[in-house]
Amino acid sequence: MSDPRPDSPTLRLRRLDASALELADVLREGRITTLFQPIVDPRSRGVCGYEALTRGPSDSWLHAPQNLFEAARRAGLKVELDFLCMQSAFKRFVAAQVSGQLFINVSPDTIYEHPNFAERFVELARNIGMPMDRVVIELTEESLLEDYDRLRSAMQRLREAGCAIAIDDLGAGSSGLRTWSELKPDYVKIDRYFVTGIDADATKLEFVRSMLDMGRAMGCRVIAEGVETERECRELVDLGLDRLQGHLFGRPGTTPMAALQQVESLDRSIVTYTALLAEHISTYVPPVSPETRVTEVADLFRDNPEQLSFPVVEDGRPLGVVRRERLFDLLAKPLHPEIFNKKPVTAVMETPTLLIDGQLRLEQVSRLVTQKSRPRLTEEFVITKDGRYHGLGQTIDVLRLITEQQLQSAKHSNPLTLLPGNAAIRSSVDKLIEARKRFIVAYFDLDSFKPYNDVYGYAHGDQVILHLSGLLKTHFSARLDFVGHVGGDDFLVVIRSADWRDRVVNVLDRFAQTVADFYSPEHAAAKSITAIDRDGSQRAFPLLTLSVAALDSETMGATSADAVAHLLAHVKKYAKQQTGNSFVLRSDDRIVDVLAAARRPSAELLPMEQLMNSA
């Protein structure tokens, strides 16, 4: 009996069989579309390559790639379809004249079925003008791999022509780890399943961490696929992923071009402009080659009594380390000198060893080096730059510098809220301006705070300040945004989060919802208190509200922290004139009431001349 459901296996098989004729027409007429999705390098904050993706005719059931390729496989046309996809990708990529690498998906079945796959692939690329050293072949896990000798042979010929090799969707199939070991690829791409929600899933995080450790040990770069949120991005950057790909940076498009706002999203997710990096604690120690004999390494240690470790490096690639204490412990055992002295150092080196990218922040390095249950403070680890040996670092140096940073921060913090004070605020703004990073600076000021202190006392006033401090720390990103306490009831936030408007509005809304808790029931019901004003007269004051004055860093004249403070002073006067909570932004020579715009999109932009006159 047949299954009439639209998504039933029976109906799907019928569609696959019925599509054979249409598929032949599609291949003959070349009616496929090539899309390109950017792959970004978190170190350079830029697009470093594109993955080519294929879609069938838009008006056909074959539009979906899974239908298209499965139909081709059943019809015995998979090889022809793969080469058509390659040809289309090469042509469009070359025509776009963009920089970076092109990642091409290839099924191992196609390599097995075509007797001269490598030669035909290279010829196709060269005829179109596609440089082979910019091509990365992604091997997809569509079937169990059995003929590894043949696959290695084809990959070797492609490598000799200049291609790089990648394994796609690592973790999605059953053969990925063996393929990794057999082929020693230049890249591995972790399946999106392990990336989605990694910021909230410790198991996924540990899986990705272990894959990254294996990649470092084997000298290949690890790419995370399916990155869709900034939280996922930040977690992956903290782990030290080499490349990132996903909708956060760009959806597949017909032209391989970078979408600026999506690359800026990555830029906001990685804040290293004020951070100390691993390369800052690197000490260059001359490496030894893997052929060096154990007795020679022992002599090196004796000639350099302060040296605790020597890296073992081949052609710039770190293979492991030899540690003084462990080597001499080994050689102190009976007969061991006779056994090991003439052997190469690879027989006694520690491998895999911890490899730390020089661009990682010290906080990231600390997490990596302290994963061991009892890390030794003097133990050294290898620091790399662009995958090559750069020097050695010590755990104790990492912890010392982090402690110094924390003490320095505490020294300049507000004693009530423990938030950074004026010096740190100025430094943050100046460094962002110097680095030409765009940001929003927002000044938060409590309205009617003096009357509140007069009526309720300074202890209650401090509770309000602590409450506002907590709201700011909760609603702004600890990694992207900088929350500072200017003094008294004034706070300043340097914002780089993409959703900065929503974050400020949420603080205002939450403050409005909770402010009555700081008043007596009578005052809360009356929505006012009676206090002495600046002229010595008694009058009614409304409940506390917040005025927020904000400035876009690209505003003319915002060239330093002092200049920003001067420009903000005028916006602050205008914000304080508004009734209730207010949120006013100056962007170049225009000003907008953002709070009104959030609730009424047609809110008018005012020219600065009008602002200056009213203020």
Side-chain angles (χ1 to χ4, degrees):
M1 294 181 64
S2 63
D3 189 342
R5 292 175 300 170
D7 59 345
S8 71
T10 302
L11 185 55
R12 178 171 179 80
L13 288 175
R14 286 181 177 178
R15 281 179 169 171
L16 287 169
D17 291 335
S19 65
L21 186 59
E22 181 188 0
L23 179 62
D25 291 337
V26 168
L27 295 179
R28 185 176 62 257
E29 299 168 8
R31 289 192 292 119
I32 62 169
T33 300
T34 301
L35 304 178
F36 299 90
Q37 185 171 37
I39 299 171
V40 300
D41 180 351
R43 304 290 176 261
S44 66
R45 272 73 149 186
V47 174
C48 60
Y50 302 85
E51 180 180 358
L53 304 166
T54 299
R55 302 290 184 266
S58 59
D59 57 350
S60 167
W61 184 73
L62 294 176
H63 176 70
Q66 60 269 31
N67 297 340
L68 178 67
F69 286 93
E70 189 174 349
R73 188 177 295 107
R74 285 179 64 84
L77 298 172
K78 181 66 167 56
V79 173
E80 288 79 357
L81 176 59
D82 273 356
F83 275 101
L84 177 61
C85 295
M86 297 171 202
Q87 182 182 46
S88 175
F90 289 154
K91 285 183 177 179
R92 296 185 67 84
F93 192 80
V94 169
Q97 296 183 337
V98 293
S99 59
Q101 293 173 299
L102 176 63
F103 286 68
I104 295 283
N105 289 288
V106 177
S107 168
D109 286 342
T110 298
I111 299 173
Y112 293 146
E113 292 175 17
H114 195 286
N116 299 300
F117 173 83
E119 289 75 10
R120 182 176 173 187
F121 183 90
V122 171
E123 182 182 10
L124 180 64
R126 286 177 175 167
N127 288 341
I128 295 173
M130 180 71 209
M132 294 303 296
D133 59 359
R134 295 177 60 191
V135 176
V136 181
I137 293 181
E138 285 192 30
L139 294 174
T140 57
E141 286 192 66
E142 296 178 355
S143 59
L144 286 173
L145 303 177
E146 297 177 356
D147 192 352
Y148 280 101
D149 289 338
R150 185 172 176 183
L151 188 61
R152 272 198 306 270
S153 176
M155 293 301 101
Q156 181 59 35
R157 291 197 296 274
L158 289 167
R159 275 199 167 108
E160 290 171 356
C163 287
I165 309 300
I167 297 176
D168 192 20
D169 294 338
L170 185 71
S174 57
S175 57
L177 293 179
R178 183 181 173 186
T179 307
W180 193 352
S181 175
E182 292 273 1
L183 298 182
K184 297 178 175 54
D186 305 282
Y187 299 90
V188 292
K189 299 181 79 171
I190 296 177
D191 183 66
R192 66 182 62 244
Y193 167 80
F194 296 98
V195 172
T196 301
I198 189 175
D199 54 294
D201 191 322
T203 301
K204 290 182 178 180
L205 187 145
E206 287 305 318
F207 178 88
V208 173
R209 192 197 307 276
S210 66
M211 293 299 99
L212 186 58
D213 288 343
M214 290 177 62
R216 288 182 178 129
M218 298 181 69
C220 73
R221 292 176 175 174
V222 181
I223 302 173
E225 292 187 295
V227 185
E228 297 192 354
T229 71
E230 289 194 355
R231 289 186 177 182
E232 293 168 355
C233 177
R234 290 194 291 274
E235 198 67 56
L236 294 164
V237 169
D238 272 352
L239 286 174
L241 269 292
D242 302 294
R243 300 286 188 269
L244 303 173
Q245 179 180 353
H247 289 171
L248 179 64
F249 314 113
R251 293 179 177 272
T254 55
T255 304
M257 295 178 63
L260 292 179
Q261 68 273 18
Q262 289 150 339
V263 176
E264 287 173 3
S265 177
L266 172 67
D267 194 39
R268 288 189 298 270
S269 298
I270 308 166
V271 183
T272 59
Y273 52 86
T274 61
L276 286 172
L277 308 179
E279 66 179 1
H280 296 150
I281 62 167
S282 175
T283 300
Y284 183 79
V285 174
V288 297
S289 69
E291 297 82 16
T292 307
R293 290 184 300 169
V294 171
T295 185
E296 295 176 80
V297 177
D299 289 340
L300 282 173
F301 278 120
R302 294 187 185 98
D303 294 340
N304 299 272
E306 301 299 319
Q307 191 60 48
L308 301 177
S309 306
F310 279 105
V312 181
V313 178
E314 183 177 34
D315 296 328
R317 187 168 66 92
L319 304 179
V321 294
V322 185
R323 303 194 189 278
R324 168 189 289 273
E325 184 176 346
R326 294 174 189 173
L327 177 63
F328 285 125
D329 283 348
L330 178 70
L331 296 179
K333 295 180 180 179
L335 300 179
H336 277 209
E338 291 80 2
I339 296 172
F340 288 101
N341 270 340
K342 294 184 179 180
K343 288 188 175 182
V345 69
T346 51
V348 298
M349 73 179 182
E350 176 186 298
T351 183
T353 189
L354 181 62
L355 303 181
I356 299 292
D357 190 292
Q359 292 300 300
L360 292 183
R361 300 192 314 278
L362 288 188
E363 293 87 345
Q364 297 170 287
V365 177
S366 176
R367 281 195 288 273
L368 292 172
V369 300
T370 57
Q371 284 175 18
K372 299 180 181 179
S373 57
R374 299 178 66 182
R376 301 181 62 177
L377 293 181
T378 57
E379 190 159 278
E380 294 176 309
F381 49 86
V382 176
I383 297 174
T384 63
K385 198 165 186 178
D386 297 325
R388 300 178 67 81
Y389 171 68
H390 185 64
L392 296 181
Q394 274 195 355
T395 303
I396 192 170
D397 289 333
V398 176
L399 301 180
R400 175 177 56 80
L401 287 175
I402 289 177
T403 302
E404 288 178 2
Q405 284 182 318
Q406 292 173 337
L407 290 173
Q408 190 70 13
S409 175
K411 183 178 178 181
H412 297 286
S413 296
N414 184 280
L416 176 62
T417 62
L418 300 181
L419 287 173
N422 282 310
I425 294 171
R426 288 168 57 88
S427 176
S428 174
V429 172
D430 280 335
K431 285 181 179 178
L432 281 171
I433 292 173
E434 181 181 351
R436 298 182 180 179
K437 304 292 185 182
R438 188 174 186 177
F439 59 93
I440 299 293
V441 58
Y443 199 104
F444 289 76
D445 184 18
L446 285 167
D447 304 315
S448 303
F449 187 64
K450 183 181 183 303
Y452 180 88
N453 266 341
D454 291 343
V455 172
Y456 284 92
Y458 289 104
H460 284 83
D462 286 349
Q463 293 304 309
V464 175
I465 291 173
L466 286 171
H467 176 62
L468 176 55
S469 168
L471 290 179
L472 296 177
K473 287 187 282 188
T474 299
H475 285 82
F476 289 99
S477 168
R479 186 174 306 283
L480 304 182
D481 309 322
F482 182 94
V483 180
H485 190 172
V486 177
D489 59 311
D490 295 345
F491 293 82
L492 191 139
V493 185
V494 183
I495 316 172
R496 300 193 71 211
S497 293
D499 54 347
W500 57 272
R501 292 180 183 84
D502 293 338
R503 291 177 185 267
V504 174
V505 171
N506 289 339
V507 169
L508 292 171
D509 288 345
R510 185 60 183 157
F511 186 81
Q513 295 165 7
T514 56
V515 69
D517 297 340
F518 295 95
Y519 290 87
S520 67
E522 295 78 15
H523 289 157
K527 296 184 178 180
S528 67
I529 60 174
T530 301
I532 304 297
D533 65 15
R534 297 181 185 276
D535 297 327
S537 303
Q538 277 201 344
R539 68 178 182 87
F541 289 89
L543 302 188
L544 291 167
T545 55
L546 268 175
S547 292
V548 182
L551 181 77
D552 186 335
S553 66
E554 293 195 349
T555 297
M556 184 75 69
T559 56
S560 67
D562 288 338
V564 166
H566 176 74
L567 293 170
L568 264 178
H570 297 288
V571 187
K572 181 181 174 183
K573 288 181 182 179
Y574 183 79
K576 296 286 281 185
Q577 291 176 352
Q578 311 306 305
T579 302
N581 288 332
S582 64
F583 178 15
V584 177
L585 168 74
R586 176 177 175 181
S587 181
D588 211 358
D589 62 344
R590 312 288 294 179
I591 187 166
V592 64
D593 186 332
V594 183
L595 197 58
R599 299 183 171 106
R600 181 170 50 86
S602 60
E604 181 184 1
L605 285 168
L606 300 177
M608 273 305 297
E609 293 81 359
Q610 184 173 340
L611 166 66
M612 297 293 287
N613 292 334
S614 63

